[in-house]
Amino acid sequence: MVVFGWMFCIFIIGSRAAANNGFKSYPTTVKTFENDTVLLPCYVEDLDNVQTRVRWWRDGILLADSGEPRHEPPERVKMYSNRSLEVSHVKRNDTGEYVCQASRPAPWGHATQVHEIEVMYPPSVHPIPESGKLEVNLGEEVDMACVAKGVPVPIISWRNKDGEIPFLYDRSRLRFHAESPSDAGRYTCVANNDVGEPAMATIDLYIRYKPRIEMTKTWMHAPAGIRVQLHCGVTAWPEATVEWYFNNRSVKYSSRIVKHNAGSDHSLVIRNVRTTDYGFYLCRASNSLGITEAAVELSGVANPPVFKKTSHSLSKTSYNFVWEVHSYSPIVQYEFRFRKYVNGVPGQWCKLYIPSGNDGNSFIHTYSFKLTGLQEASHYEALVLSKNRYGWSKSSEIIRFATEGALDKDNYITNAIQEDKIAPAVQLASMSQHPPLDTDNGESSVTQAKAMTNIIMIFILYVFNINFCKL
């Protein structure tokens, strides 16, 4: 009976110890900052005449022992008489689990309680590649990353010259295809954990590609005696070597002909232009990935004429044109071409040669021309060329115009795209007065033939129908 009583007591005590592990304190996680002091509780329930021994452990290393006064705790660690553990001037490596172990003689045994210290500190970050520079060929995959440290774990964001790069989630690795040279530039990753200032690292992306050339002009008008500058915009990586060629030979640079570079603009300056300088200049850019060329023509020929908006209808059969030409040399002659435009189908060009008259030594030459003998309510197209001492210019853009009474006259397109070659033409002796175009007579004959054919077909069907009814 006595033995049963002892067993019952042990069962009650063991059950009570199992319910709360014999601790008055509870496991906790302490989030703190560097150089702070942390107190970890280990409050054990006292039992009459039962001595409780408390040990503190970390990573299997004994920090403090209440049953061994001679034990020397590590630096900055101290256990108080109530078994609490103090860690002063905490450092980053103090982060981790701290185990409080309470031991009693049999039959109680021992129990443990785990606490945790989390030392928070600002983020740090370093790029991959560590050099902070990355080179890829155009079209290849770009793969860059940033490795961040800090407590709490930092969140990483990216930005480039266009601003922040949007992602649906935190991304420490950035991958994409280099589809354009404009993708090159500086990429910055930012690590932030709301502790201290965010940390940043940069990666400079270089995209290798064959030179690209953009010519501001492919043709330039220049009279003898002036200064001109031929521009050749070049972009490439690695940087391109640019050379100029004239009539398929390397340009011989001198005090009169100078090569000038300013960033991506590679220009050729020609002082005191001579007629022997006229011709094609080739801009050639090369790097390790290839060669690109583009040409510009230097000429004394006038610029293409431009029709002015002041052109307008004068009557049902006439139209007045005004155009402007830029030329340092006097204009000798104009070539005016026009054609009828019916139901979207252009007719044959008619060509007139017009003396320029005397317009002085002005660089801008303006001319007004009255075209008569047109058909009423009709649509036409026209263009003009100019000639100076160096030859004929390129043609103007084709314009479309209509005489009075034409359908959609006010909404008619006046700046049309040149739709075909302008070489075929019918030369007219008169400058302005001329009979209606022969194409109209041709159209009338075709209409009459179609009408006669229709009458014959109706007569045949009528006779066939009568004979069929008799049957």
Side-chain angles (χ1 to χ4, degrees), residues 226-228 256-257 268-273 277 281 298:
I226 72 165
R227 174 187 179 277
V228 295
R256 191 178 72 87
I257 303 177
L268 186 69
V269 178
I270 304 176
R271 301 184 178 96
N272 191 21
V273 170
D277 295 327
Y281 290 81
L298 183 65

Side-chain angles (χ1 to χ4, degrees), residues 289-331:
L289 280 77
I291 299 174
T292 305
E293 298 175 340
V296 55
E297 181 184 4
L298 183 65
S299 174
V301 172
N303 286 277
V306 177
F307 283 102
K308 307 299 289 183
K309 292 183 178 180
T310 51
S311 300
H312 62 281
S313 176
L314 293 175
S315 67
K316 295 181 179 180
T317 59
S318 62
Y319 202 92
N320 189 72
F321 297 90
V322 179
W323 60 77
E324 189 176 90
V325 179
H326 291 184
S327 174
Y328 287 97
S329 300
I331 300 299

Side-chain angles (χ1 to χ4, degrees), residues 335-372:
E335 180 181 308
F336 184 85
R337 299 186 183 187
F338 68 100
R339 64 184 177 186
K340 196 171 182 181
Y341 195 81
V342 180
N343 296 327
V345 179
Q348 190 178 28
W349 287 108
C350 299
K351 182 163 55 175
L352 300 171
Y353 289 98
I354 308 168
S356 67
N358 184 13
D359 57 354
N361 296 323
S362 173
F363 169 66
I364 301 176
H365 306 263
T366 304
Y367 195 86
S368 177
F369 171 66
K370 177 182 178 182
L371 180 63
T372 61

Side-chain angles (χ1 to χ4, degrees), residues 16-173:
R16 184 180 178 186
N20 57 14
N21 292 326
F23 291 95
K24 295 180 180 179
S25 56
Y26 294 91
T28 184
T29 298
V30 179
K31 294 185 178 182
T32 186
F33 298 96
E34 291 182 281
N35 297 317
D36 282 354
T37 296
V38 175
L39 189 65
L40 301 177
C42 188
Y43 304 141
V44 183
E45 291 183 354
D46 294 327
L47 298 176
D48 295 339
N49 302 320
V50 177
Q51 185 178 6
T52 303
R53 183 177 183 179
V54 174
R55 295 185 182 93
W56 279 93
W57 303 83
R58 185 192 173 197
D59 296 334
I61 300 174
L62 181 63
L63 300 179
D65 188 349
S66 65
E68 184 56 61
R70 290 176 297 180
H71 176 76
E72 287 290 336
E75 185 181 4
R76 300 182 293 106
V77 175
K78 176 182 178 181
M79 185 171 67
Y80 288 98
S81 59
N82 64 357
R83 280 88 170 191
S84 297
L85 187 74
E86 179 186 273
V87 182
S88 60
H89 303 291
V90 294
K91 299 180 180 179
R92 296 181 185 182
N93 57 8
D94 291 329
T95 296
E97 292 184 346
Y98 292 76
V99 180
C100 172
Q101 183 185 63
S103 302
R104 293 182 180 132
W108 287 273
H110 68 271
T112 60
Q113 189 174 81
V114 180
H115 301 276
E116 187 175 354
I117 294 178
E118 187 177 283
V119 181
M120 297 186 293
Y121 55 90
S124 62
V125 64
H126 70 271
I128 298 176
E130 294 185 359
S131 63
K133 293 183 180 180
L134 179 63
E135 290 190 17
V136 299
N137 291 330
L138 185 65
E140 290 183 346
E141 184 182 59
V142 176
D143 191 352
M144 62 179 72
C146 279
V147 178
K149 295 181 180 180
V151 178
V153 176
I155 296 175
I156 294 179
S157 60
W158 291 86
R159 62 172 180 254
N160 59 10
K161 59 180 179 292
D162 298 323
E164 186 168 349
I165 302 174
F167 293 114
L168 296 178
Y169 52 88
D170 170 40
R171 181 179 294 184
S172 60
R173 188 176 182 184

Side-chain angles (χ1 to χ4, degrees), residues 118-433:
E118 187 177 283
V119 181
M120 297 186 293
Y121 55 90
S124 62
V125 64
H126 70 271
I128 298 176
E130 294 185 359
S131 63
K133 293 183 180 180
L134 179 63
E135 290 190 17
V136 299
N137 291 330
L138 185 65
E140 290 183 346
E141 184 182 59
V142 176
D143 191 352
M144 62 179 72
C146 279
V147 178
K149 295 181 180 180
V151 178
V153 176
I155 296 175
I156 294 179
S157 60
W158 291 86
R159 62 172 180 254
N160 59 10
K161 59 180 179 292
D162 298 323
E164 186 168 349
I165 302 174
F167 293 114
L168 296 178
Y169 52 88
D170 170 40
R171 181 179 294 184
S172 60
R173 188 176 182 184
L174 189 60
R175 299 175 66 184
F176 60 92
H177 280 86
E179 298 178 351
S180 169
S182 62
D183 292 331
R186 173 159 291 184
Y187 288 76
T188 302
C189 63
V190 182
N192 186 20
N193 65 356
D194 293 327
V195 178
E197 295 295 326
M200 293 186 294
T202 60
I203 300 174
D204 292 322
L205 175 62
Y206 299 91
I207 298 179
R208 295 185 291 261
Y209 62 100
K210 179 182 176 181
R212 295 182 175 184
I213 294 179
E214 182 178 353
M215 306 292 287
T216 55
K217 292 182 179 180
T218 58
W219 183 88
M220 182 172 288
H221 169 68
I226 72 165
R227 174 187 179 277
V228 295
Q229 188 169 4
L230 309 179
H231 294 276
C232 179
V234 179
T235 55
W237 183 263
E239 291 186 2
T241 300
V242 179
E243 292 297 336
W244 286 89
Y245 294 82
F246 176 61
N247 292 338
N248 297 323
R249 293 184 180 182
S250 297
V251 171
K252 294 182 179 180
Y253 304 112
S254 63
S255 58
R256 191 178 72 87
I257 303 177
V258 180
K259 182 173 67 171
H260 183 263
N261 301 335
S264 62
D265 181 55
H266 297 260
S267 58
L268 186 69
V269 178
I270 304 176
R271 301 184 178 96
N272 191 21
V273 170
R274 304 168 184 171
T275 55
T276 54
D277 295 327
Y278 292 154
F280 286 91
Y281 290 81
L282 186 71
C283 173
R284 176 179 294 173
S286 62
N287 65 5
S288 57
L289 280 77
I291 299 174
T292 305
E293 298 175 340
V296 55
E297 181 184 4
L298 183 65
S299 174
V301 172
N303 286 277
V306 177
F307 283 102
K308 307 299 289 183
K309 292 183 178 180
T310 51
S311 300
H312 62 281
S313 176
L314 293 175
S315 67
K316 295 181 179 180
T317 59
S318 62
Y319 202 92
N320 189 72
F321 297 90
V322 179
W323 60 77
E324 189 176 90
V325 179
H326 291 184
S327 174
Y328 287 97
S329 300
I331 300 299
V332 177
Q333 192 178 30
Y334 295 106
E335 180 181 308
F336 184 85
R337 299 186 183 187
F338 68 100
R339 64 184 177 186
K340 196 171 182 181
Y341 195 81
V342 180
N343 296 327
V345 179
Q348 190 178 28
W349 287 108
C350 299
K351 182 163 55 175
L352 300 171
Y353 289 98
I354 308 168
S356 67
N358 184 13
D359 57 354
N361 296 323
S362 173
F363 169 66
I364 301 176
H365 306 263
T366 304
Y367 195 86
S368 177
F369 171 66
K370 177 182 178 182
L371 180 63
T372 61
L374 301 172
Q375 281 196 337
E376 298 181 16
S378 299
H379 296 105
Y380 291 88
E381 290 183 331
L383 61 83
V384 65
L385 301 86
S386 64
K387 181 181 180 181
N388 63 12
R389 59 181 292 193
Y390 299 104
W392 285 102
S393 71
K394 295 181 181 180
S395 69
S396 68
E397 290 187 354
I398 293 178
I399 68 163
R400 293 179 181 175
F401 65 98
T403 53
E404 293 182 7
L407 295 177
D408 298 328
K409 175 179 179 296
D410 295 333
N411 297 326
Y412 200 58
I413 300 174
T414 56
N415 288 321
I417 299 174
Q418 188 164 339
E419 297 171 342
D420 56 7
K421 296 181 180 179
I422 62 173
V426 176
Q427 295 190 22
L428 302 178
S430 172
M431 289 191 304
S432 59
Q433 299 292 339

